[in-house]
Amino acid sequence: MPAPPALPALNIGPYAVRPAVALAPMAGITDKPFRQLCRDFGAGWAVSEMIISDPALQHTRKTLHRTDHAGESGVIAVQIAGSDPAQMAAAAQYNVARGAQVIDINMGCPAKKVCNVAAGSALLQNEALVGDILRAVVQAVDVPVTLKTRLGWSDDHKNIRTIARLAEDAGIAALAIHGRTRTQMYRGAAEYDLIAEVKQQIRIPLWVNGDINSPHKAAAVLAHTGADGVMIGRGAQGQPWLFGDIRHYLQHGRLPAPLSFQAASAQVLAHIAAMHDFYGEYTGVRTARKHIGWYLAALPDGDAARRELNGIDSAAGQYDRLAAFLQQCGQQYSHWPCAWRIS
Ligand SMILES: Cc1cc2nc3c(=O)[nH]c(=O)nc-3n(C[C@H](O)[C@H](O)[C@H](O)COP(=O)(O)O)c2cc1C
């Protein structure tokens, strides 16, 4: 019988990341309640939603929520986005003053809002500017600075080897690569061959990211690329227990016993309540709707329940209706239905 793969580990500056299984930053999704939930399930690292470096946006309600790390367990890694080296350096300092222990630079986001101002993955077209931003941010703060990026701008312009070299030379502490280009947006399948090549080329820790949605896929992508850790975005939506399953699978070579339906339901309800607390009723109920949609997608009749829940505007009403639906499903299921346990 082959030996089980080892639990991945890496260091970011003074921080030992064990296991090197991370929640990827996702704007509008990986807020404090979701990061905490994923950590509780076993994510060894979680990065905040991106914060635009423009100081004019620092005091919006959205940014204030994104920069609220009070009571958060684990290392506080804050992602910043922008295109002006001095502004990015100032944003890094501002966030460190507000509690960031690691600064992550976003050069991976294809969103129009970000790319139109030549930030996010649009920066990949201008390698000199990439170098300037990386050096400016690394020199501006005493905390480790990491970089998250893609393979390049387009199929004809995959410059990740150059970007990785620039990152290493600038003193970047870890690199995360999403195996797509900017023009691919989220289409097609993530590609890992080039990430494996970059791993051979650099000495800094490397996260592999893109389409990792099961323990088996995490193990396969780690083996294929030789990366130091896996970073997971959409795969965690509606199933934060994925982190615990990956952790166990990488450590023991088999899945853990499944979570009971009751235990999973309790976590789901606690997540919804945490969002209500964090955002207040109006925004909390609306932010919770997309997570509820992802949770219910796994359940029969979940779609009808989701539509009904989308019409509820009060926090208590949303919570109580969801609790009743889950209780009803609990009579039918001993475990939460889970894609990687069925196949
Ligand atoms: C809704 C959404 C929001 C995202 N926001 C960010 C972001 O703020 N910063 C960032 O670096 N990447 C962002 N990403 C990209 C993810 O971090 C990740 O690289 C991408 O989804 C691929 O990984 P996955 O296949 O595991 O989801 C976002 C992705 C999604 C789907």
Side-chain angles (χ1 to χ4, degrees):
M1 199 172 153
L7 197 60
L10 57 81
N11 294 328
I12 296 182
Y15 304 112
V17 185
R18 311 275 185 276
V21 179
L23 173 66
M26 289 184 287
I29 299 164
T30 55
D31 52 16
K32 188 165 74 169
F34 194 60
R35 292 196 298 276
Q36 193 58 53
L37 181 67
C38 292
R39 282 197 183 101
D40 291 347
F41 271 110
W45 194 252
V47 183
S48 77
E49 306 162 88
M50 79 182 156
I51 294 170
I52 305 289
S53 63
D54 183 349
L57 300 175
Q58 263 161 11
H59 301 290
T60 63
R61 188 195 292 253
K62 190 191 263 184
T63 302
L64 290 174
H65 274 123
R66 289 186 180 186
T67 53
D68 172 358
H69 309 292
E72 194 168 345
S73 72
V75 179
I76 312 291
V78 172
Q79 188 182 68
I80 57 172
S83 57
D84 176 65
Q87 203 174 68
M88 287 287 275
Q93 287 169 338
Y94 174 83
N95 282 289
V96 169
R98 290 184 69 92
Q101 294 167 297
V102 170
I103 293 292
D104 185 48
I105 298 177
N106 177 343
M107 286 188 195
C109 185
K112 280 238 164 58
K113 206 162 54 173
V114 176
C115 279
N116 281 352
V117 290
S121 50
L123 285 172
L124 298 176
Q125 285 180 309
N126 186 342
E127 290 164 2
L129 182 57
V130 168
D132 288 346
I133 290 173
L134 300 181
R135 282 187 295 276
V137 176
V138 168
Q139 283 161 22
V141 290
D142 288 334
V143 305
V145 178
T146 57
L147 172 66
K148 180 162 177 292
T149 189
R150 292 186 170 223
L151 298 177
W153 175 256
S154 65
D155 265 2
D156 306 332
H157 194 74
K158 289 184 184 164
N159 58 344
I160 186 60
R161 291 186 202 81
T162 308
I163 301 293
R165 195 168 307 118
L166 284 169
E168 190 157 45
D169 291 348
I172 289 294
L175 176 65
I177 307 176
H178 174 192
R180 285 188 176 82
T181 60
R182 153 74 174 92
T183 49
Q184 267 183 291
M185 304 288 284
Y186 295 96
R187 287 186 294 270
E191 180 212 302
Y192 308 111
D193 290 353
L194 198 47
I195 300 181
E197 267 184 53
V198 171
K199 173 60 194 166
Q200 294 300 314
Q201 172 202 316
I202 57 172
R203 290 177 306 279
I204 55 176
L206 176 71
W207 296 103
V208 58
N209 169 240
D211 295 352
I212 298 166
N213 54 9
S214 72
H216 311 82
K217 181 97 185 248
V221 172
L222 279 171
H224 183 81
T225 58
D228 303 285
V230 282
M231 184 172 272
I232 294 161
R234 291 162 299 170
Q237 293 169 352
Q239 41 187 25
W241 34 84
L242 172 61
F243 292 101
D245 281 7
I246 290 180
R247 183 183 187 139
H248 193 281
Y249 186 76
L250 294 180
Q251 197 166 17
H252 303 288
R254 58 185 154 74
L255 291 172
L259 209 58
S260 73
F261 192 86
Q262 228 180 0
S265 298
Q267 294 285 353
V268 168
L269 288 168
H271 179 201
I272 303 309
M275 275 185 278
H276 294 160
D277 268 5
F278 183 62
Y279 290 109
E281 183 160 33
Y282 184 85
T283 308
V285 166
R286 280 152 187 82
T287 310
R289 282 182 189 149
K290 58 189 156 193
H291 289 275
I292 290 174
W294 289 319
Y295 286 124
L296 295 188
L299 303 177
D301 301 329
D303 204 41
R306 176 186 56 77
R307 272 185 268 121
E308 187 195 330
L309 277 150
N310 279 348
I312 298 176
D313 287 335
S314 77
Q318 186 182 55
Y319 183 96
D320 290 346
R321 182 66 194 95
L322 180 62
F325 178 69
L326 293 179
Q327 196 179 23
Q328 185 192 321
C329 293
Q331 290 163 8
Q332 202 180 334
Y333 283 101
S334 55
H335 304 108
W336 195 278
C338 171
W340 59 87
R341 288 180 184 275
I342 293 165
S343 54

